[in-house]
Amino acid sequence: MLNELQKAPVASVPIGQYADVALALAGELAHPVYDCLYLAVAVANQTHVVTADRRFAALGNSVRMNDRIRLLAA
């Protein structure tokens, strides 16, 4: 799995431009802003977040999130 992770297309982005959206999502979803920062980046880039957090992943099933949050499968 580590080998596959090392091949993944990962990029660093400045969070400033996503902060307002992340705060709005955190309030709307009643979820911590640090996770919502990843979600804001995913929404802006029309991709998804992969997480092991089942509670966070469940939020991805809402119509608004359009399956943007995916649960990491072991």
Side-chain angles (χ1 to χ4, degrees), residues 53-69:
D53 181 339
R54 292 184 185 279
R55 183 172 154 293
F56 184 44
L59 299 174
N61 294 330
S62 72
V63 172
R64 170 136 165 46
M65 290 302 102
N66 195 26
D67 196 33
R68 295 283 182 208
I69 309 168

Side-chain angles (χ1 to χ4, degrees), residues 38-61:
Y38 295 111
L39 182 54
V41 172
V43 168
N45 290 283
Q46 298 180 339
T47 189
H48 57 271
V49 175
V50 177
T51 182
D53 181 339
R54 292 184 185 279
R55 183 172 154 293
F56 184 44
L59 299 174
N61 294 330

